Amino acid sequence: MKALIIDDEAHVRETIRLLVDWDRFGITEVYEAASGEEGIALLQQEKPGLVFTDIMMPGMSGLDVLSRIAESGIRSKAIVISGYDDFTYVRSALQFGSFDYLLKPIDEEELEEAVRKAVAAWLDEENERSERLQSETKANLYRPMLADKSFVQLLLDPDQYPMHAATLQREFGIGCDQKQVLAAVVSLQSLDTRLQAKFASAMDLLLFAVTNICSEFMSKESLGLAFRHWHRHEAVLLFFDRFEMAGAMLERINEGLYAALRGQFHIGYGTVQPFPSGIQRTFHEAETALQLRNMRDQSVHLHPYELRKQTAHMLQAPLAAYEDQLVLAVRMNDLMQIGRSLKDWESQASKHPCLHIRQLEMWWQEFTLMHSRLLLENEVDDEGEELLSEADDLSFRLPLNEQGQPDLSIWTKRMERILTEIAGFLIRGDRNPVMRSIEKYVRLHYREQISLEKLSETFHLSPSHISRSFKTEFGETLTDYMTRLRINKAKLLLADPELKITSIAEAVGYQDEKYFSRAFKKLEGVSPNRFRKQHAAAVPSSQ
């Protein structure tokens, strides 16, 4: 804390300097001024927390000094020290914000008490200012988050408006008198590769910057506000006034985004709807305008909903038409056929002059479904799926080249890489799809009399090939596999003391009880009866 003594008499300044225990009050610097003019200069330069001033001085008086302190907004506590015991001076001093009024000659105890009170008052006010500043800082930090949360919830369910009404009125000035709204959406989905590379690991930071730029433009014109829609990774703008200016404002915002970030953004906007009931509709209109924009036309970056033909968009060049070719090529490990089939699809899909995001989403959904069916039909387990997912997580990403233009060859290369990985996984012996199908058939029909000849007829392979390949895949002959499967099922049934051995034998595919017992003993080392007794004895009595 600093102090300033203003008095035209040097001995008075010296007396004050000697009488006050500055260290006790935490005052580290004490300045002196011999005139009001000099005092004002020091006041503005050093901004002391405590000021002593005389009333009657040549030139600028002490009252003038007090007036300048009040006008400047400098947070100082002033103590007037005067030789005039005149109520007029006292009243004037108090009117200009003097904290205390002491008479000359100076009394040490009075001076010390006045300083103590002034310093305490200054510290109290400083603490209040600091707490208020912290509160305001926190409010400014959390205000964007509050906007994100409140308005995203309204987009999801406009019926929640009564729950947020007070907050919207207090924080954003949006009251019950607000009747209409128009939404716009700035998408980060179609960024050019330069921006993608720059913010690859900081997309949240990019969204924050985009939203702040939009907010700045909107607030300057008092048109509305902007907030972040975290779930969709896009900035949402809400216009609450002068809707006819929306298009022009969005043009300016897009120019501002390009100037700040050196990248092109696409903005969709909906129509004016009632607030709050229509906020969800105008938001969906803005998103639809973006999703149905023609991605082949890179010259247009503003996409109004009302100018778009909202007709039914049928799936063009469906990838499903090539699924049989692709699945067979994967199973046969025919990598050239995988590439040819995908190229044929790309050629057909590229013929359409209009390409929009919804079309791409439907194509990618077709591919992911085909991918899932391939893994399911070939019984790839969780470990295998995890291994394959390391190469590609199948997340939807727009196929954009370095100029930000759609290029389906990016997708066909990605699809070919994924399918080739599956084909290699299956053919390496990790999973033989045909043998897996035979093994599944055996597990389902183990009670029946299954022969190599019957499997040959069912799966169109020679008996010798099935026998050899099955042992290679599962490490045991088909007969041994079936015997083990039947005996394992029998062991479960033996846990029920009410079931007869004959019934258990028939249940697992043995018509001859003696043959069943011999097979059981050969595999388990004991007869079925002995096995039952041993395991019954191992189970504690419930009584």
Side-chain angles (χ1 to χ4, degrees):
M1 186 178 180
K2 301 176 183 179
L4 171 63
I5 306 170
I6 308 172
D7 199 300
D8 60 321
E9 297 179 84
H11 73 278
V12 175
R13 300 196 302 273
E14 184 66 22
T15 299
I16 296 173
R17 180 181 282 274
L18 292 174
L19 289 180
V20 177
D21 186 353
W22 305 106
D23 292 339
R24 176 186 169 192
F25 297 111
I27 297 173
T28 56
E29 299 175 58
V30 180
Y31 299 91
E32 295 183 19
S35 67
E37 291 81 3
E38 186 182 348
I40 290 299
L42 280 170
L43 188 76
Q44 293 174 340
Q45 180 179 332
E46 301 298 335
K47 295 179 175 55
L50 184 62
V51 176
F52 301 87
T53 182
D54 190 8
I55 286 289
M56 298 301 294
M57 293 181 292
M60 182 178 288
S61 70
L63 294 178
D64 292 331
V65 171
L66 293 176
S67 175
R68 293 289 291 274
I69 291 176
E71 291 173 359
S72 68
I74 297 174
R75 296 183 289 272
S76 300
K77 293 297 177 186
I79 298 176
V80 173
I81 298 179
S82 174
Y84 295 91
D85 186 9
D86 188 315
F87 180 71
T88 302
Y89 288 127
V90 176
R91 182 177 62 185
S92 298
L94 293 175
Q95 285 177 342
F96 285 116
S98 171
F99 184 79
D100 210 338
Y101 193 101
L102 303 180
L103 291 173
K104 298 176 183 178
I106 301 171
D107 181 85
E108 182 177 355
E109 291 184 0
E110 289 183 358
L111 177 62
E112 188 167 311
E113 181 65 13
V115 172
R116 185 188 68 77
K117 291 180 179 179
V119 170
W122 185 86
L123 289 174
D124 286 344
E125 292 181 7
E126 196 66 18
N127 287 336
E128 288 180 8
R129 282 191 291 269
S130 178
E131 290 176 0
R132 188 166 58 250
L133 180 61
Q134 288 181 9
S135 297
E136 291 173 355
T137 301
K138 286 182 179 179
N140 289 334
L141 287 174
Y142 286 114
R143 194 167 183 266
M145 296 175 63
L146 184 62
D148 299 344
K149 181 179 179 181
S150 299
F151 286 105
V152 167
Q153 288 181 349
L154 279 184
L155 292 181
L156 296 173
D157 184 6
D159 291 337
Q160 291 191 23
Y161 174 73
M163 297 171 55
H164 302 281
T167 301
L168 298 183
Q169 175 69 66
R170 182 181 66 253
E171 298 293 337
F172 309 105
I174 301 170
C176 57
D177 57 337
Q178 182 64 49
K179 302 300 183 185
Q180 293 180 307
V181 64
L182 180 148
V185 172
V186 183
S187 175
L188 303 192
Q189 195 176 29
S190 304
L191 297 177
D192 58 46
T193 52
R194 191 195 64 81
L195 271 182
Q196 286 182 11
K198 183 176 181 180
F199 292 95
S201 59
M203 290 302 287
D204 288 347
L205 178 62
L206 177 59
L207 179 59
F208 183 79
V210 168
T211 307
N212 280 353
I213 293 170
C214 293
S215 294
E216 186 176 346
F217 277 92
M218 296 285 280
S219 60
K220 278 183 180 179
E221 299 292 338
S222 300
L223 291 175
L225 50 81
F227 61 92
R228 293 163 292 185
H229 196 316
W230 291 110
H231 305 305
R232 300 176 185 265
H233 227 74
E234 56 195 20
V236 181
L237 293 75
L238 296 180
F239 289 81
F240 290 106
D241 193 16
R242 288 168 287 164
F243 303 107
E244 70 281 357
M245 293 180 59
M249 174 54 67
L250 293 175
E251 286 279 9
R252 289 172 54 192
I253 288 174
N254 218 7
E255 292 171 1
L257 290 172
Y258 184 80
L261 300 169
R262 311 307 297 175
Q264 296 287 358
F265 292 82
H266 288 276
I267 304 177
Y269 60 103
T271 59
V272 179
Q273 297 294 330
F275 181 81
S277 62
I279 188 172
Q280 188 179 68
R281 178 174 177 179
T282 184
F283 168 69
H284 285 164
E285 289 177 347
E287 283 204 317
T288 299
L290 280 176
Q291 291 168 350
L292 297 183
R293 69 180 179 85
N294 187 2
M295 297 179 67
R296 300 192 192 282
D297 185 356
Q298 292 296 308
S299 63
V300 179
H301 292 90
L302 285 190
H303 311 281
Y305 179 84
E306 66 269 20
L307 297 182
R308 188 165 301 282
K309 295 180 180 179
Q310 303 300 330
T311 57
H313 292 269
M314 301 299 293
L315 178 62
Q316 305 292 336
L319 184 61
Y322 299 82
E323 181 171 348
D324 289 344
Q325 298 176 27
L326 288 167
V327 168
L328 181 60
V330 169
R331 287 176 172 167
M332 300 297 292
N333 195 35
D334 189 342
L335 305 187
M336 292 185 65
Q337 183 58 47
I338 292 174
R340 281 195 297 269
S341 296
L342 288 172
K343 275 293 181 184
D344 289 344
W345 169 77
E346 179 191 334
S347 176
Q348 290 298 316
S350 298
K351 291 178 181 179
H352 298 280
C354 182
L355 181 65
H356 50 76
I357 293 176
R358 281 191 182 173
Q359 176 76 76
L360 291 169
E361 288 175 339
M362 287 188 285
W363 278 333
W364 193 253
Q365 185 178 35
E366 283 187 298
F367 180 73
T368 56
L369 287 173
M370 179 176 65
H371 180 278
S372 297
R373 282 193 288 268
L374 260 174
L375 300 188
L376 182 63
E377 291 173 2
N378 290 285
E379 297 189 345
V380 176
D381 56 20
D382 292 341
E383 184 179 350
E385 286 190 35
E386 185 176 350
L387 183 65
L388 289 169
S389 67
E390 290 177 1
D392 197 301
D393 61 2
L394 294 181
S395 59
F396 176 77
R397 296 193 293 272
L398 292 176
L400 303 178
N401 59 22
E402 292 184 359
Q403 291 72 42
Q405 298 172 340
D407 183 354
L408 291 179
S409 68
I410 295 172
W411 263 13
T412 52
K413 291 175 183 176
R414 183 184 176 192
M415 292 174 179
E416 184 175 0
R417 186 173 61 251
I418 294 170
L419 296 179
T420 299
E421 188 71 23
I422 297 174
F425 179 82
L426 298 177
I427 206 66
R428 280 194 300 268
D430 297 328
R431 292 295 183 270
N432 185 318
V434 178
M435 289 303 109
R436 284 288 158 178
S437 298
I438 292 175
E439 188 267 347
K440 181 178 179 181
Y441 179 88
V442 171
R443 280 191 285 110
L444 292 174
H445 301 274
Y446 71 92
R447 299 178 183 87
E448 303 171 11
Q449 298 304 312
I450 302 175
S451 64
L452 286 172
E453 287 71 21
K454 184 173 183 180
L455 292 175
S456 175
E457 292 175 4
T458 304
F459 292 93
H460 309 290
L461 295 170
S462 69
S464 60
H465 178 80
I466 293 175
S467 178
R468 184 173 57 254
S469 298
F470 193 94
K471 185 173 182 179
T472 301
E473 179 71 13
F474 299 102
E476 58 186 335
T477 66
L478 178 62
T479 301
D480 289 343
Y481 182 86
M482 286 183 60
T483 300
R484 182 169 56 81
L485 184 63
R486 287 172 169 177
I487 298 305
N488 285 337
K489 297 291 184 180
K491 285 159 63 177
L492 295 174
L493 296 175
L494 284 167
D496 185 351
E498 301 298 325
L499 289 177
K500 295 180 179 181
I501 301 298
T502 304
S503 300
I504 293 174
E506 292 178 355
V508 296
Y510 291 96
Q511 304 303 317
D512 187 336
E513 179 187 346
K514 291 181 180 181
Y515 184 71
F516 164 67
S517 295
R518 284 198 302 271
F520 191 98
K521 187 173 183 178
K522 182 179 179 181
L523 199 62
E524 298 298 324
V526 294
S527 67
N529 273 320
R530 186 64 180 167
F531 180 89
R532 170 177 275 174
K533 289 176 182 179
Q534 288 176 345
H535 285 75
V539 178
S541 174
S542 61
Q543 295 180 348

